[in-house]
C-alpha cells in the first residue's frame, strides 16, 4: 500500500488542522477523538476537551496529531508540577488531576478487555483503581543515561522519539535520595573528568548511573554501568562517593560493552560496601542485588500484594506456584497462608536472592528453581506434584504461549494474574476463559502515578 493510498483511505494528511472533541484516554495516556469517523490520537489532550488538532503522522488505520489550541478546557486539567514534564515524556498525565487519572486507568483496563475479548463486561467486576495518598517521590530506583554537555555531566532520559538527553536529577516521582545521590555522583564524575560514554560514537566509559534506595532501611546502592571493565580513577571515585554520600552502603560496577539500549551487561563487579541492600515490605525483608528485579513503588506494592493474597483465597492447604518470581516477593507474601510455595525465574541471580530471602524468613516450605514454568510445571506434575493456585507476574509482553498452554493442561483451581499491560492481560485472559476459566474480579492498582501505566490483579477460577 503506497502513501497516497494510505492518505486517501483515512482521508487526512500531515499538517491538516481541524476541531476535535476528545472522547477518552488511550492506552498511552493520549487523548482519543474521531474526525470523520476516523480515530485520531492527540498527546496532551484530555477527555471532554475541544481542541484544534494538527495532524503530525498518518498511519493506515489512525492519525496522530498535536494540540494547536484548546477551545474548551477540561475541569480536570491542572498545571504539571515537573518543570521538564513536556520534554521528558517519562510521565504522561501530570496535566490531569490525580483522582481523574485513577478513573481513566480503570477505563483503560476496561477498554483493553472490550477490544481483545468477547467477555460480557457487564458481568465482570472491575473495581475502582487503588491510588496513593501522596503520589510523589515514589520510585525507589533510577536508571539515568549519562552524557557530556560542554564541561557538565548530565544524567537523565532521552526525550520522546529523540536522542536529546533531558537532565532529570530533580525528578518529582523519584525518591529524593535517588535524586540527591545521582546528582552528587554526576558531580564526582565531572570533578575527576572521567570519560563519559557517547551513544552515537559508541566511545567513552560511564554509560549509566543506577541508584536504588530501601524505603524502609534507608540503604542506598549505586551502580556505575561502564562500556569497559577498566574504570579510570576507580579508587578515587569510590572513596569520594563514600566521603560525600555516607548513606550509600553498596557501590557496584556493571560492564555493558554492547551497542544497545539495554541497561545492564552480564558482568557485575563489587567495588565497595555491601554487595546488596535490604528492603522491607510489611513484615518481610528482602535482599536486593544490583540486577535483581524489585517493584519500583514499595508503598503501592504492599497494596498490590494484599490484593494478590485476597485473590489467591488461601486456607493453608494449597500448593502455590509463583511464576516469574524474581526475588520471591509474591511467593513469600503468600507463604504464611500456603501449604507449599514453589517459584521459578530464568534469571539465576534473582533465584539466588529468592532463596536467601526464603531462608532468612525461615520458610522451609518455600523453594525456588532457575528455569521456565512451562518446563518445570509438567515435570513436577509427572513427579506427582500439582499446584492449586498459580500466580503469574509476567513482563509487558504477557505470559509466554507455552506457559499459558501448560497452565491450561495442568488445570490449577485458581489463577492470579498480576499484569502491567492491560492489552496483553486481556488477550491472555481471553485464551484462559476459552479453556475453562472464569474471571471473578479485576483490581487496578496505580503503581506509577502520573504515567499511563496501570497494574492490575485478575482473579480467575476454573469452572470445569
Amino acid at each position: 500500500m503506497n502513501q497516497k493510498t494510505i492518505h486517501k483511505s483515512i482521508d487526512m494528511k500531515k499538517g491538516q488542522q481541524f476541531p476535535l472533541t476528545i472522547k477518552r484516554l488511550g492506552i498511552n495516556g493520549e487523548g482519543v477523538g474521531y474526525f470523520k469517523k476516523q480515530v485520531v490520537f492527540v498527546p496532551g489532550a484530555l477527555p471532554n476537551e475541544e481542541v484544534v488538532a494538527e495532524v503530525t503522522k498518518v498511519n493506515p488505520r489512525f492519525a496522530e496529531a498535536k494540540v494547536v489550541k484548546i477551545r474548551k478546557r477540561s475541569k480536570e486539567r491542572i498545571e504539571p508540577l515537573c518543570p521538564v514534564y513536556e520534554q521528558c515524556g517519562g510521565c504522561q498525565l501530570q496535566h490531569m488531576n490525580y483522582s481523574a487519572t485513577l478513573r481513566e486507568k480503570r477505563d483503560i483496563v476496561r477498554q483493553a478487555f472490550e477490544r481483545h475479548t468477547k467477555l460480557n463486561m457487564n458481568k465482570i467486576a472491575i473495581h475502582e483503581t487503588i491510588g496513593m495518598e501522596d503520589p510523589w517521590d515514589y520510585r525507589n530506583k533510577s536508571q539515568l543515561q549519562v552524557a557530556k554537555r560542554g564541561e557538565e555531566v548530565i544524567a537523565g532520559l532521552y526525550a520522546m522519539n529523540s536522542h536529546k538527553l533531558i537532565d532529570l536529577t530533580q525528578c518529582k516521582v523519584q525518591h529524593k535520595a535517588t535524586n540527591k545521590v545521582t546528582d552528587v555522583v554526576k558531580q564526582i564524575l565531572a570533578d575527576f573528568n572521567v570519560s563519559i560514554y557517547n551513544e552515537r560514537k559508541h566511545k567513552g566509559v560511564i554509560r549509566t548511573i543506577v541508584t536504588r534506595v530501601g524505603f524502609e532501611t534507608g540503604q542506598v546502592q549505586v551502580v556505575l554501568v561502564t562500556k569497559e571493565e577498566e574504570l579510570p580513577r576507580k579508587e578515587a571515585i569510590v572513596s569520594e562517593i563514600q566521603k560525600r554520600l555516607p548513606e550509600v552502603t553498596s557501590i557496584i560496577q556493571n560492564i555493558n560493552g554492547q551497542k544497545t539500549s539495554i541497561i545492564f551487561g552480564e558482568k557485575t563487579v563489587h567495588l565497595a560496601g555491601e554487595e546488596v541492600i535490604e528492603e522491607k515490605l510489611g513484615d518481610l525483608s528482602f535482599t536486593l542485588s544490583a540486577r535483581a528485579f524489585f517493584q519500583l513503588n514499595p508503598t503501592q506494592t504492599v497494596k498490590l500484594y494484599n490484593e494478590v493474597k485476597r485473590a489467591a483465597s488461601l486456607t493453608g492447604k494449597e500448593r502455590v506456584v509463583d511464576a516469574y518470581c524474581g526475588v520471591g516477593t509474591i511467593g513469600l507474601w503468600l507463604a504464611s497462608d500456603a501449604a507449599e510455595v514453589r517459584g521459578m525465574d530464568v534469571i539465576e541471580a534473582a533465584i539466588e536472592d529468592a532463596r536467601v530471602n526464603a531462608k532468612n524468613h525461615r520458610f522451609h516450605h518455600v523453594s525456588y528453581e532457575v528455569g521456565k514454568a512451562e518446563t518445570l510445571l509438567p515435570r513436577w506434575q509427572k513427579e506427582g506434584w500439582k499446584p492449586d493456585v498459580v500466580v503469574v507476574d509476567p513482563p509487558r509482553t504477557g505470559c509466554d504461549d507455552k506457559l499459558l498452554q501448560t497452565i491450561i493442561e495442568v488445570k490449577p483451581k485458581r489463577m492470579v494474574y498480576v499484569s502491567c499491560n492491560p492489552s496483553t492481560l486481556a488477550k491472555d485472559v481471553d485464551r484462559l476463559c476459552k479453556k475453562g476459566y472464569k474471571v471473578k474480579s479485576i483490581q487496578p492498582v496505580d503503581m506509577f502515578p502520573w504515567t499511563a501505566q496501570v497494574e492490575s490483579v485478575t482473579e480467575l477460577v476454573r469452572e470445569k
Side-chain angles (χ1 to χ4, degrees):
M1 189 185 282
N2 64 38
Q3 198 66 23
K4 284 182 182 171
T5 316
I6 291 171
H7 282 183
K8 192 178 174 187
S9 68
I10 79 160
D11 198 23
M12 271 182 259
K13 58 179 183 286
K14 191 175 175 181
Q16 183 179 349
Q17 292 189 3
F18 43 77
L20 194 68
T21 299
I22 306 301
K23 300 293 187 186
R24 56 183 170 84
L25 281 190
I27 200 159
N28 298 310
E30 70 281 73
V32 181
Y34 296 88
F35 179 68
K36 296 182 178 175
K37 297 184 179 177
Q38 293 162 341
V39 70
V40 185
F41 294 114
V42 191
L46 295 177
N48 303 314
E49 287 190 328
E50 292 173 12
V51 304
V52 176
E54 181 180 310
V55 177
T56 55
K57 192 176 180 184
V58 180
N59 297 285
R61 291 181 297 146
F62 61 90
E64 297 170 43
K66 64 180 180 183
V67 176
V68 176
K69 182 182 177 184
I70 301 175
R71 285 181 168 173
K72 181 188 165 192
R73 285 170 67 92
S74 165
K75 290 174 184 173
E76 295 168 339
R77 180 174 285 275
I78 59 171
E79 204 58 41
L81 192 65
C82 173
V84 293
Y85 169 60
E86 288 179 9
Q87 297 103 286
C88 166
C91 298
Q92 300 83 41
L93 296 175
Q94 274 194 33
H95 59 295
M96 188 180 212
N97 82 45
Y98 185 59
S99 60
T101 69
L102 298 180
R103 181 197 68 225
E104 291 300 323
K105 290 189 181 199
R106 177 179 182 266
D107 190 56
I108 285 169
V109 175
R110 174 178 280 278
Q111 283 181 50
F113 273 80
E114 286 172 349
R115 189 177 304 120
H116 298 297
T117 78
K118 293 197 165 55
L119 300 173
N120 182 349
M121 295 313 293
N122 295 324
K123 292 187 176 179
I124 293 174
I126 304 182
H127 302 303
E128 300 295 319
T129 308
I130 297 171
M132 293 188 79
E133 287 166 30
D134 178 12
W136 300 103
D137 310 319
Y138 60 80
R139 290 179 70 102
N140 62 6
K141 184 181 182 184
S142 68
Q143 302 183 139
L144 300 184
Q145 312 303 317
V146 187
K148 261 303 200 28
R149 191 163 62 191
E151 292 305 303
E152 186 189 10
V153 175
I154 63 169
L157 300 174
Y158 290 104
M160 291 286 280
N161 307 317
S162 86
H163 277 271
K164 184 187 177 190
L165 199 68
I166 306 294
D167 196 39
L168 270 191
T169 40
Q170 294 309 314
C171 178
K172 302 292 185 188
V173 298
Q174 282 293 152
H175 188 287
K176 287 184 172 73
T178 67
N179 282 332
K180 178 197 167 187
V181 168
T182 305
D183 214 28
V184 173
V185 171
K186 207 170 59 169
Q187 192 56 54
I188 291 168
L189 297 175
D191 291 348
F192 287 120
N193 197 23
V194 179
S195 166
I196 302 298
Y197 180 69
N198 182 309
E199 188 205 25
R200 204 164 38 81
K201 296 178 181 174
H202 193 50
K203 286 184 177 171
V205 178
I206 305 278
R207 296 177 69 132
T208 311
I209 300 169
V210 181
T211 309
R212 176 147 61 183
V213 60
F215 269 47
E216 295 295 323
T217 63
Q219 295 175 2
V220 181
Q221 182 178 68
V222 171
V223 184
L224 297 174
V225 181
T226 59
K227 178 178 175 281
E228 48 221 38
E229 198 159 339
E230 181 64 34
L231 174 56
R233 308 203 65 182
K234 178 168 38 181
E235 288 77 13
I237 292 167
V238 168
S239 172
E240 202 62 23
I241 290 173
Q242 290 175 320
K243 188 168 89 180
R244 293 198 213 175
L245 294 163
E247 63 267 41
V248 172
T249 55
S250 171
I251 305 173
I252 306 289
Q253 179 189 358
N254 176 268
I255 298 100
N256 184 356
Q258 302 297 310
K259 203 167 184 178
T260 174
S261 58
I262 293 166
I263 302 289
F264 287 115
E266 289 303 312
K267 187 166 186 186
T268 300
V269 179
H270 174 223
L271 298 181
E274 302 295 325
E275 286 194 46
V276 296
I277 62 169
E278 303 289 327
E279 178 60 301
K280 289 181 179 175
L281 287 179
D283 297 330
L284 301 178
S285 296
F286 295 95
T287 300
L288 305 176
S289 58
R291 292 182 60 202
F293 171 78
F294 192 74
Q295 291 282 3
L296 291 167
N297 184 339
T299 307
Q300 290 297 89
T301 298
V302 170
K303 298 177 189 176
L304 181 80
Y305 289 176
N306 281 337
E307 288 304 316
V308 172
K309 186 178 269 195
R310 180 194 56 74
S313 296
L314 301 176
T315 63
K317 298 175 183 174
E318 291 82 8
R319 293 168 165 179
V320 178
V321 162
D322 178 10
Y324 305 98
C325 70
V327 299
T329 45
I330 291 178
L332 296 176
W333 200 261
L334 302 177
S336 56
D337 295 323
E340 186 180 354
V341 177
R342 294 187 182 187
M344 70 283 284
D345 203 296
V346 292
I347 298 170
E348 198 168 336
I351 291 297
E352 286 169 16
D353 286 345
R355 286 171 178 160
V356 169
N357 290 329
K359 188 179 176 186
N360 288 346
H361 290 97
R362 298 195 174 100
F363 284 140
H364 304 298
H365 63 307
V366 177
S367 59
Y368 293 99
E369 283 196 47
V370 178
K372 294 182 175 180
E374 54 268 29
T375 308
L376 293 168
L377 278 173
R379 193 186 85 200
W380 292 342
Q381 194 172 24
K382 278 181 188 171
E383 293 166 359
W385 193 92
K386 182 184 164 181
D388 303 292
V389 180
V390 171
V391 181
V392 295
D393 186 5
R396 288 190 66 76
T397 47
C399 286
D400 184 280
D401 274 350
K402 288 179 183 169
L403 173 57
L404 285 177
Q405 189 53 41
T406 302
I407 289 168
I408 288 161
E409 287 166 10
V410 172
K411 298 181 181 176
K413 295 195 227 33
R414 185 175 291 270
M415 187 174 166
V416 182
Y417 193 134
V418 184
S419 164
C420 59
N421 183 339
S423 297
T424 52
L425 165 70
K427 290 173 188 173
D428 289 351
V429 165
D430 190 53
R431 184 167 165 191
L432 289 161
C433 288
K434 285 172 180 168
K435 297 293 182 179
Y437 284 90
K438 181 184 177 183
V439 177
K440 276 199 81 176
S441 69
I442 305 168
Q443 176 62 68
V445 180
D446 191 21
M447 297 294 286
F448 301 102
W450 312 113
T451 75
Q453 282 183 260
V454 53
E455 205 105 354
S456 59
V457 177
T458 300
E459 179 185 356
L460 296 126
V461 290
R462 186 158 188 87
E463 286 194 301
K464 48 191 174 180

PDB file of all heavy atoms in Angstrom, residues 331-358:
ATOM      1  N   GLY A 331       5.623 -14.828  46.271  1.00  0.00           N
ATOM      2  CA  GLY A 331       5.548 -16.137  46.932  1.00  0.00           C
ATOM      3  C   GLY A 331       5.744 -16.028  48.433  1.00  0.00           C
ATOM      4  O   GLY A 331       5.036 -16.679  49.216  1.00  0.00           O
ATOM      5  N   LEU A 332       6.686 -15.188  48.857  1.00  0.00           N
ATOM      6  CA  LEU A 332       6.933 -15.019  50.296  1.00  0.00           C
ATOM      7  C   LEU A 332       5.767 -14.301  50.967  1.00  0.00           C
ATOM      8  O   LEU A 332       5.449 -14.565  52.125  1.00  0.00           O
ATOM      9  CB  LEU A 332       8.242 -14.256  50.522  1.00  0.00           C
ATOM     10  CG  LEU A 332       9.510 -14.970  50.025  1.00  0.00           C
ATOM     11  CD1 LEU A 332      10.732 -14.091  50.214  1.00  0.00           C
ATOM     12  CD2 LEU A 332       9.712 -16.308  50.743  1.00  0.00           C
ATOM     13  N   TRP A 333       5.131 -13.392  50.246  1.00  0.00           N
ATOM     14  CA  TRP A 333       3.955 -12.685  50.771  1.00  0.00           C
ATOM     15  C   TRP A 333       2.817 -13.661  51.066  1.00  0.00           C
ATOM     16  O   TRP A 333       2.034 -13.482  52.002  1.00  0.00           O
ATOM     17  CB  TRP A 333       3.503 -11.628  49.765  1.00  0.00           C
ATOM     18  CG  TRP A 333       2.648 -10.544  50.334  1.00  0.00           C
ATOM     19  CD1 TRP A 333       1.285 -10.449  50.290  1.00  0.00           C
ATOM     20  CD2 TRP A 333       3.089  -9.366  51.026  1.00  0.00           C
ATOM     21  NE1 TRP A 333       0.857  -9.298  50.909  1.00  0.00           N
ATOM     22  CE2 TRP A 333       1.952  -8.609  51.371  1.00  0.00           C
ATOM     23  CE3 TRP A 333       4.340  -8.880  51.397  1.00  0.00           C
ATOM     24  CZ2 TRP A 333       2.022  -7.407  52.060  1.00  0.00           C
ATOM     25  CZ3 TRP A 333       4.419  -7.680  52.069  1.00  0.00           C
ATOM     26  CH2 TRP A 333       3.269  -6.957  52.406  1.00  0.00           C
ATOM     27  N   LEU A 334       2.748 -14.732  50.242  1.00  0.00           N
ATOM     28  CA  LEU A 334       1.669 -15.725  50.388  1.00  0.00           C
ATOM     29  C   LEU A 334       2.054 -16.903  51.289  1.00  0.00           C
ATOM     30  O   LEU A 334       1.181 -17.672  51.707  1.00  0.00           O
ATOM     31  CB  LEU A 334       1.287 -16.271  49.003  1.00  0.00           C
ATOM     32  CG  LEU A 334       0.813 -15.261  47.952  1.00  0.00           C
ATOM     33  CD1 LEU A 334       0.556 -15.975  46.628  1.00  0.00           C
ATOM     34  CD2 LEU A 334      -0.444 -14.529  48.411  1.00  0.00           C
ATOM     35  N   ALA A 335       3.347 -17.032  51.574  1.00  0.00           N
ATOM     36  CA  ALA A 335       3.861 -18.269  52.186  1.00  0.00           C
ATOM     37  C   ALA A 335       3.201 -18.647  53.506  1.00  0.00           C
ATOM     38  O   ALA A 335       2.931 -19.823  53.762  1.00  0.00           O
ATOM     39  CB  ALA A 335       5.381 -18.150  52.377  1.00  0.00           C
ATOM     40  N   SER A 336       2.910 -17.667  54.367  1.00  0.00           N
ATOM     41  CA  SER A 336       2.362 -17.995  55.685  1.00  0.00           C
ATOM     42  C   SER A 336       0.956 -18.578  55.601  1.00  0.00           C
ATOM     43  O   SER A 336       0.480 -19.207  56.548  1.00  0.00           O
ATOM     44  CB  SER A 336       2.358 -16.756  56.581  1.00  0.00           C
ATOM     45  OG  SER A 336       1.643 -15.713  55.946  1.00  0.00           O
ATOM     46  N   ASP A 337       0.279 -18.410  54.434  1.00  0.00           N
ATOM     47  CA  ASP A 337      -1.082 -18.952  54.279  1.00  0.00           C
ATOM     48  C   ASP A 337      -1.139 -20.157  53.343  1.00  0.00           C
ATOM     49  O   ASP A 337      -2.223 -20.612  52.991  1.00  0.00           O
ATOM     50  CB  ASP A 337      -2.019 -17.866  53.725  1.00  0.00           C
ATOM     51  CG  ASP A 337      -2.182 -16.711  54.705  1.00  0.00           C
ATOM     52  OD1 ASP A 337      -2.226 -16.979  55.911  1.00  0.00           O
ATOM     53  OD2 ASP A 337      -2.238 -15.551  54.263  1.00  0.00           O
ATOM     54  N   ALA A 338       0.036 -20.645  52.892  1.00  0.00           N
ATOM     55  CA  ALA A 338       0.063 -21.750  51.919  1.00  0.00           C
ATOM     56  C   ALA A 338       0.724 -22.990  52.520  1.00  0.00           C
ATOM     57  O   ALA A 338       1.540 -22.891  53.441  1.00  0.00           O
ATOM     58  CB  ALA A 338       0.840 -21.312  50.682  1.00  0.00           C
ATOM     59  N   ALA A 339       0.351 -24.163  51.979  1.00  0.00           N
ATOM     60  CA  ALA A 339       0.996 -25.404  52.421  1.00  0.00           C
ATOM     61  C   ALA A 339       2.409 -25.488  51.844  1.00  0.00           C
ATOM     62  O   ALA A 339       3.343 -25.939  52.517  1.00  0.00           O
ATOM     63  CB  ALA A 339       0.178 -26.608  51.961  1.00  0.00           C
ATOM     64  N   GLU A 340       2.571 -25.038  50.583  1.00  0.00           N
ATOM     65  CA  GLU A 340       3.878 -25.050  49.930  1.00  0.00           C
ATOM     66  C   GLU A 340       3.879 -24.010  48.821  1.00  0.00           C
ATOM     67  O   GLU A 340       2.861 -23.791  48.155  1.00  0.00           O
ATOM     68  CB  GLU A 340       4.183 -26.434  49.335  1.00  0.00           C
ATOM     69  CG  GLU A 340       5.591 -26.540  48.777  1.00  0.00           C
ATOM     70  CD  GLU A 340       5.912 -27.915  48.171  1.00  0.00           C
ATOM     71  OE1 GLU A 340       5.066 -28.833  48.281  1.00  0.00           O
ATOM     72  OE2 GLU A 340       6.993 -28.039  47.583  1.00  0.00           O
ATOM     73  N   VAL A 341       5.044 -23.371  48.644  1.00  0.00           N
ATOM     74  CA  VAL A 341       5.214 -22.413  47.543  1.00  0.00           C
ATOM     75  C   VAL A 341       6.446 -22.817  46.736  1.00  0.00           C
ATOM     76  O   VAL A 341       7.511 -23.082  47.313  1.00  0.00           O
ATOM     77  CB  VAL A 341       5.407 -20.962  48.057  1.00  0.00           C
ATOM     78  CG1 VAL A 341       5.665 -20.006  46.890  1.00  0.00           C
ATOM     79  CG2 VAL A 341       4.201 -20.493  48.860  1.00  0.00           C
ATOM     80  N   ARG A 342       6.275 -22.884  45.419  1.00  0.00           N
ATOM     81  CA  ARG A 342       7.415 -23.112  44.521  1.00  0.00           C
ATOM     82  C   ARG A 342       7.470 -21.968  43.512  1.00  0.00           C
ATOM     83  O   ARG A 342       6.443 -21.610  42.915  1.00  0.00           O
ATOM     84  CB  ARG A 342       7.277 -24.446  43.786  1.00  0.00           C
ATOM     85  CG  ARG A 342       7.358 -25.651  44.690  1.00  0.00           C
ATOM     86  CD  ARG A 342       7.391 -26.942  43.884  1.00  0.00           C
ATOM     87  NE  ARG A 342       7.427 -28.120  44.746  1.00  0.00           N
ATOM     88  CZ  ARG A 342       7.594 -29.366  44.307  1.00  0.00           C
ATOM     89  NH1 ARG A 342       7.741 -29.593  42.999  1.00  0.00           N
ATOM     90  NH2 ARG A 342       7.614 -30.383  45.151  1.00  0.00           N
ATOM     91  N   GLY A 343       8.658 -21.400  43.340  1.00  0.00           N
ATOM     92  CA  GLY A 343       8.817 -20.296  42.398  1.00  0.00           C
ATOM     93  C   GLY A 343       9.893 -20.593  41.379  1.00  0.00           C
ATOM     94  O   GLY A 343      10.779 -21.426  41.606  1.00  0.00           O
ATOM     95  N   MET A 344       9.812 -19.888  40.236  1.00  0.00           N
ATOM     96  CA  MET A 344      10.840 -20.061  39.210  1.00  0.00           C
ATOM     97  C   MET A 344      11.058 -18.766  38.450  1.00  0.00           C
ATOM     98  O   MET A 344      10.166 -17.915  38.356  1.00  0.00           O
ATOM     99  CB  MET A 344      10.472 -21.194  38.236  1.00  0.00           C
ATOM    100  CG  MET A 344       9.313 -20.909  37.319  1.00  0.00           C
ATOM    101  SD  MET A 344       7.698 -21.053  38.119  1.00  0.00           S
ATOM    102  CE  MET A 344       7.510 -22.815  38.216  1.00  0.00           C
ATOM    103  N   ASP A 345      12.274 -18.628  37.940  1.00  0.00           N
ATOM    104  CA  ASP A 345      12.620 -17.472  37.119  1.00  0.00           C
ATOM    105  C   ASP A 345      13.822 -17.872  36.275  1.00  0.00           C
ATOM    106  O   ASP A 345      14.591 -18.752  36.672  1.00  0.00           O
ATOM    107  CB  ASP A 345      12.971 -16.257  37.999  1.00  0.00           C
ATOM    108  CG  ASP A 345      12.794 -14.940  37.257  1.00  0.00           C
ATOM    109  OD1 ASP A 345      13.525 -14.739  36.266  1.00  0.00           O
ATOM    110  OD2 ASP A 345      11.942 -14.127  37.644  1.00  0.00           O
ATOM    111  N   VAL A 346      13.988 -17.225  35.126  1.00  0.00           N
ATOM    112  CA  VAL A 346      15.119 -17.569  34.253  1.00  0.00           C
ATOM    113  C   VAL A 346      16.396 -16.841  34.665  1.00  0.00           C
ATOM    114  O   VAL A 346      17.485 -17.185  34.218  1.00  0.00           O
ATOM    115  CB  VAL A 346      14.806 -17.281  32.764  1.00  0.00           C
ATOM    116  CG1 VAL A 346      13.727 -18.223  32.254  1.00  0.00           C
ATOM    117  CG2 VAL A 346      14.414 -15.829  32.547  1.00  0.00           C
ATOM    118  N   ILE A 347      16.286 -15.823  35.529  1.00  0.00           N
ATOM    119  CA  ILE A 347      17.477 -15.067  35.959  1.00  0.00           C
ATOM    120  C   ILE A 347      18.050 -15.709  37.216  1.00  0.00           C
ATOM    121  O   ILE A 347      17.438 -15.712  38.282  1.00  0.00           O
ATOM    122  CB  ILE A 347      17.129 -13.581  36.199  1.00  0.00           C
ATOM    123  CG1 ILE A 347      16.638 -12.944  34.895  1.00  0.00           C
ATOM    124  CG2 ILE A 347      18.339 -12.821  36.736  1.00  0.00           C
ATOM    125  CD1 ILE A 347      16.054 -11.563  35.053  1.00  0.00           C
ATOM    126  N   GLU A 348      19.252 -16.254  37.063  1.00  0.00           N
ATOM    127  CA  GLU A 348      19.886 -17.016  38.144  1.00  0.00           C
ATOM    128  C   GLU A 348      20.119 -16.166  39.393  1.00  0.00           C
ATOM    129  O   GLU A 348      19.881 -16.615  40.520  1.00  0.00           O
ATOM    130  CB  GLU A 348      21.216 -17.593  37.643  1.00  0.00           C
ATOM    131  CG  GLU A 348      21.728 -18.719  38.494  1.00  0.00           C
ATOM    132  CD  GLU A 348      22.885 -19.475  37.848  1.00  0.00           C
ATOM    133  OE1 GLU A 348      22.999 -19.453  36.605  1.00  0.00           O
ATOM    134  OE2 GLU A 348      23.660 -20.076  38.606  1.00  0.00           O
ATOM    135  N   ALA A 349      20.561 -14.914  39.195  1.00  0.00           N
ATOM    136  CA  ALA A 349      20.848 -14.030  40.343  1.00  0.00           C
ATOM    137  C   ALA A 349      19.585 -13.769  41.154  1.00  0.00           C
ATOM    138  O   ALA A 349      19.627 -13.692  42.390  1.00  0.00           O
ATOM    139  CB  ALA A 349      21.446 -12.710  39.856  1.00  0.00           C
ATOM    140  N   ALA A 350      18.453 -13.644  40.465  1.00  0.00           N
ATOM    141  CA  ALA A 350      17.179 -13.406  41.162  1.00  0.00           C
ATOM    142  C   ALA A 350      16.803 -14.616  42.007  1.00  0.00           C
ATOM    143  O   ALA A 350      16.332 -14.470  43.142  1.00  0.00           O
ATOM    144  CB  ALA A 350      16.078 -13.099  40.149  1.00  0.00           C
ATOM    145  N   ILE A 351      17.017 -15.824  41.464  1.00  0.00           N
ATOM    146  CA  ILE A 351      16.695 -17.053  42.213  1.00  0.00           C
ATOM    147  C   ILE A 351      17.602 -17.191  43.435  1.00  0.00           C
ATOM    148  O   ILE A 351      17.156 -17.595  44.516  1.00  0.00           O
ATOM    149  CB  ILE A 351      16.796 -18.300  41.294  1.00  0.00           C
ATOM    150  CG1 ILE A 351      15.652 -18.279  40.265  1.00  0.00           C
ATOM    151  CG2 ILE A 351      16.775 -19.597  42.099  1.00  0.00           C
ATOM    152  CD1 ILE A 351      14.256 -18.359  40.848  1.00  0.00           C
ATOM    153  N   GLU A 352      18.871 -16.824  43.277  1.00  0.00           N
ATOM    154  CA  GLU A 352      19.782 -16.844  44.434  1.00  0.00           C
ATOM    155  C   GLU A 352      19.257 -15.913  45.530  1.00  0.00           C
ATOM    156  O   GLU A 352      19.235 -16.271  46.707  1.00  0.00           O
ATOM    157  CB  GLU A 352      21.186 -16.422  43.997  1.00  0.00           C
ATOM    158  CG  GLU A 352      21.927 -17.502  43.207  1.00  0.00           C
ATOM    159  CD  GLU A 352      23.202 -16.982  42.551  1.00  0.00           C
ATOM    160  OE1 GLU A 352      23.676 -15.892  42.948  1.00  0.00           O
ATOM    161  OE2 GLU A 352      23.717 -17.659  41.648  1.00  0.00           O
ATOM    162  N   ASP A 353      18.830 -14.714  45.135  1.00  0.00           N
ATOM    163  CA  ASP A 353      18.255 -13.762  46.096  1.00  0.00           C
ATOM    164  C   ASP A 353      16.987 -14.329  46.729  1.00  0.00           C
ATOM    165  O   ASP A 353      16.761 -14.202  47.936  1.00  0.00           O
ATOM    166  CB  ASP A 353      17.916 -12.428  45.407  1.00  0.00           C
ATOM    167  CG  ASP A 353      19.160 -11.595  45.097  1.00  0.00           C
ATOM    168  OD1 ASP A 353      20.229 -11.904  45.647  1.00  0.00           O
ATOM    169  OD2 ASP A 353      19.052 -10.644  44.314  1.00  0.00           O
ATOM    170  N   ALA A 354      16.135 -14.956  45.900  1.00  0.00           N
ATOM    171  CA  ALA A 354      14.869 -15.520  46.398  1.00  0.00           C
ATOM    172  C   ALA A 354      15.141 -16.589  47.457  1.00  0.00           C
ATOM    173  O   ALA A 354      14.466 -16.644  48.492  1.00  0.00           O
ATOM    174  CB  ALA A 354      14.057 -16.104  45.238  1.00  0.00           C
ATOM    175  N   ARG A 355      16.155 -17.425  47.206  1.00  0.00           N
ATOM    176  CA  ARG A 355      16.495 -18.492  48.166  1.00  0.00           C
ATOM    177  C   ARG A 355      16.999 -17.902  49.487  1.00  0.00           C
ATOM    178  O   ARG A 355      16.637 -18.393  50.561  1.00  0.00           O
ATOM    179  CB  ARG A 355      17.549 -19.416  47.552  1.00  0.00           C
ATOM    180  CG  ARG A 355      16.972 -20.341  46.483  1.00  0.00           C
ATOM    181  CD  ARG A 355      18.057 -21.083  45.740  1.00  0.00           C
ATOM    182  NE  ARG A 355      17.490 -22.002  44.758  1.00  0.00           N
ATOM    183  CZ  ARG A 355      18.154 -22.493  43.719  1.00  0.00           C
ATOM    184  NH1 ARG A 355      19.428 -22.154  43.519  1.00  0.00           N
ATOM    185  NH2 ARG A 355      17.571 -23.326  42.873  1.00  0.00           N
ATOM    186  N   VAL A 356      17.823 -16.861  49.370  1.00  0.00           N
ATOM    187  CA  VAL A 356      18.320 -16.178  50.581  1.00  0.00           C
ATOM    188  C   VAL A 356      17.148 -15.573  51.356  1.00  0.00           C
ATOM    189  O   VAL A 356      17.049 -15.700  52.582  1.00  0.00           O
ATOM    190  CB  VAL A 356      19.351 -15.079  50.211  1.00  0.00           C
ATOM    191  CG1 VAL A 356      19.662 -14.190  51.408  1.00  0.00           C
ATOM    192  CG2 VAL A 356      20.625 -15.716  49.667  1.00  0.00           C
ATOM    193  N   ASN A 357      16.222 -14.929  50.624  1.00  0.00           N
ATOM    194  CA  ASN A 357      15.065 -14.297  51.269  1.00  0.00           C
ATOM    195  C   ASN A 357      14.189 -15.332  51.985  1.00  0.00           C
ATOM    196  O   ASN A 357      13.728 -15.106  53.109  1.00  0.00           O
ATOM    197  CB  ASN A 357      14.239 -13.530  50.235  1.00  0.00           C
ATOM    198  CG  ASN A 357      14.958 -12.286  49.720  1.00  0.00           C
ATOM    199  OD1 ASN A 357      15.738 -11.669  50.446  1.00  0.00           O
ATOM    200  ND2 ASN A 357      14.717 -11.925  48.470  1.00  0.00           N
ATOM    201  N   ALA A 358      13.966 -16.485  51.340  1.00  0.00           N
ATOM    202  CA  ALA A 358      13.154 -17.548  51.959  1.00  0.00           C
ATOM    203  C   ALA A 358      13.848 -18.099  53.206  1.00  0.00           C
ATOM    204  O   ALA A 358      13.215 -18.316  54.250  1.00  0.00           O
ATOM    205  CB  ALA A 358      12.914 -18.672  50.955  1.00  0.00           C
TER     206      ALA A 358
END
